[in-house]
Amino acid sequence: MLSTILDYVVWSPNPAVFPGFERIRWYSLLFALGFIISQQIVIYIFKQEGHDEKLVDKLTIYMVLATIIGARLGHVLFYEPEKYLSNPIEILKVWEGGLASHGAAIAILIALWLYVRNTPNQRYLWVVDRIVIVVAMTGALIRFGNLMNSEIGGKPTGTDNGFVYARQTEEILMTLNVPVESVSAYKPDSRSGELQGNGTVPLNFDIEINKGQFSEADLKRTLESDVKYVLTKFASSHKYLAEPENTPLDYDLKDQGDHYLVTVRTFGLAKHPTQIYESLSYFIIFLILYALWRKYKERLPDGLLLGIFLIAVFGMRFVWEFFKENQVDFEDNLTLNMGQTLSIPLVVGGIILVIRALKVGSPTPKN
């Protein structure tokens, strides 16, 4: 029983917080929650070190704008410049996805420089050292939002452990040329004997269909062609499923009175849940940075926390990219993908900052 539970997870949550009301999504909620919690933590930090807590509102505005604008422009310039620069109006459609954390990091550093220029008695590295504490926490929440969106997932594990991402296939099956009422993907306990240890794992879809004017024979013909097409021909099918192309659709059709219940038996690909890997990494980094600040506060050398942040966050990002699927096609021909390439200079910059901070030592206390 335990081995069955641990083998793999079929992951298909609704990205909307409230089903049927698509405007509020987990990703947006977690993104906003990150800033709300961050603001409260920074207010506490400012109070503890004798700084004016009213400045945090101003600082938050800089941070929010820098994160959204920088992340968007980072994706545009680093990942899909041809698509967006040929049609610049598309850049504004942030709700369609496409944010890059490297762009956000660069924009935040620039925004904080502008903030300090317009704010007396605030040292640049002092401010950045405190901000990166909450940036790590917000990054953890955003990656969990990616998980709820079933996006930025990992490569196949090659074993029967991992996540099978089924949400996209569920959404496509909802558009079949029959009156589909619901689609539900799940891990079939009755098929545990089909596990082979190679990452191709049993996956079932239950499809409820309103009877309407369909006879059972007509419905079978439609299902055998259309469902098979969905499971084998769509990009999401190739990415997440392992349905054999040259075999008949394996399914049962049951008359449930007011509707038909179709159970489709297929196979999915167990993949690394890299969103969880990254989220946990960033949360641990947040705890470490916060613990260092809480112990040393104003005795921390300027730039030390920023350096540790850059080394830890983008060092871990470099590692986890080996387990993630490439975001755009051109990365398939690269030795290191774009995320790894962009992480290297940030890690190097972090090393330089740590060495400098340890060499210079703690800032001179004010009399």
Side-chain angles (χ1 to χ4, degrees), residues 179-196:
V180 176
E181 294 181 345
S182 68
V183 179
S184 176
Y186 61 96
K187 174 182 177 179
D189 293 334
S190 60
R191 297 177 61 196
S192 59
E194 297 177 49
L195 291 169
Q196 301 175 38

Side-chain angles (χ1 to χ4, degrees), residues 35 38-39 41-43 45-46 51-67 108-116 118-119 122-124 126-132 134-135:
F35 281 104
S38 294
Q39 186 179 41
I41 294 174
V42 174
I43 287 173
I45 289 173
F46 270 48
H51 288 254
D52 185 1
E53 64 187 85
K54 294 179 181 177
L55 292 173
V56 178
D57 287 339
K58 176 182 175 182
L59 181 56
T60 301
I61 294 172
Y62 278 84
M63 287 293 298
V64 171
L65 291 175
T67 301
I108 286 170
L109 293 175
I110 295 171
L112 293 179
W113 176 76
L114 293 172
Y115 162 81
V116 170
N118 295 292
T119 309
Q122 295 268 280
R123 299 193 311 275
Y124 177 68
W126 183 91
V127 174
V128 179
D129 277 342
R130 275 69 188 166
I131 287 299
V132 295
V134 295
V135 169

Side-chain angles (χ1 to χ4, degrees), residues 151-162:
E151 61 189 4
I152 316 182
K155 297 175 181 177
T157 62
T159 71
D160 292 339
N161 305 105

Side-chain angles (χ1 to χ4, degrees), residues 57-217:
D57 287 339
K58 176 182 175 182
L59 181 56
T60 301
I61 294 172
Y62 278 84
M63 287 293 298
V64 171
L65 291 175
T67 301
I68 296 173
I69 295 172
R72 184 57 170 171
L73 292 179
H75 180 82
V76 168
L77 297 174
F78 298 146
Y79 290 95
E80 297 183 282
E82 292 182 2
K83 171 186 173 180
Y84 288 104
L85 297 182
S86 63
N87 190 11
I89 195 67
E90 294 290 321
I91 297 174
L92 301 177
K93 298 179 180 179
V94 180
W95 58 88
E96 292 184 356
L99 301 175
S101 58
H102 295 90
I106 295 168
I108 286 170
L109 293 175
I110 295 171
L112 293 179
W113 176 76
L114 293 172
Y115 162 81
V116 170
R117 279 194 63 186
N118 295 292
T119 309
N121 304 317
Q122 295 268 280
R123 299 193 311 275
Y124 177 68
L125 287 177
W126 183 91
V127 174
V128 179
D129 277 342
R130 275 69 188 166
I131 287 299
V132 295
I133 298 172
V134 295
V135 169
M137 183 272 299
T138 302
L141 290 175
I142 289 172
R143 277 295 177 256
F144 194 76
N146 293 136
L147 179 66
M148 297 305 293
N149 270 354
S150 298
E151 61 189 4
I152 316 182
K155 297 175 181 177
T157 62
T159 71
D160 292 339
N161 305 105
F163 273 39
V164 177
Y165 296 98
R167 182 67 189 179
Q168 286 189 35
T169 304
E170 284 183 341
E171 291 176 348
I172 296 170
L173 288 171
M174 284 294 297
T175 67
L176 289 173
N177 247 352
V178 292
V180 176
E181 294 181 345
S182 68
V183 179
S184 176
Y186 61 96
K187 174 182 177 179
D189 293 334
S190 60
R191 297 177 61 196
S192 59
E194 297 177 49
L195 291 169
Q196 301 175 38
N198 61 359
T200 299
V201 296
L203 171 66
N204 281 13
F205 289 93
D206 276 355
I207 309 172
E208 290 189 2
I209 301 173
N210 190 296
K211 283 189 173 181
Q213 302 300 316
F214 282 88
S215 68
E216 193 167 318

Side-chain angles (χ1 to χ4, degrees), residues 265-323:
R265 291 177 289 274
T266 184
F267 294 90
L269 295 173
K271 299 202 167 191
H272 288 283
T274 47
Q275 308 97 326
I276 296 177
Y277 302 167
E278 284 194 77
S279 184
L280 290 176
S281 299
Y282 298 159
F283 188 71
I284 291 170
I285 293 167
F286 158 69
L287 293 177
I288 292 171
L289 293 174
Y290 182 78
L292 287 171
W293 170 80
R294 189 162 179 82
K295 182 173 182 179
Y296 296 104
K297 292 189 175 70
E298 65 277 357
R299 291 178 291 149
L300 282 166
D302 282 351
L304 180 62
L305 293 186
L306 172 59
I308 294 172
F309 171 87
L310 292 174
I311 294 168
V313 168
F314 292 103
M316 291 309 303
R317 174 71 184 270
F318 185 91
V319 171
W320 295 135
E321 288 292 328
F322 284 113
F323 298 90

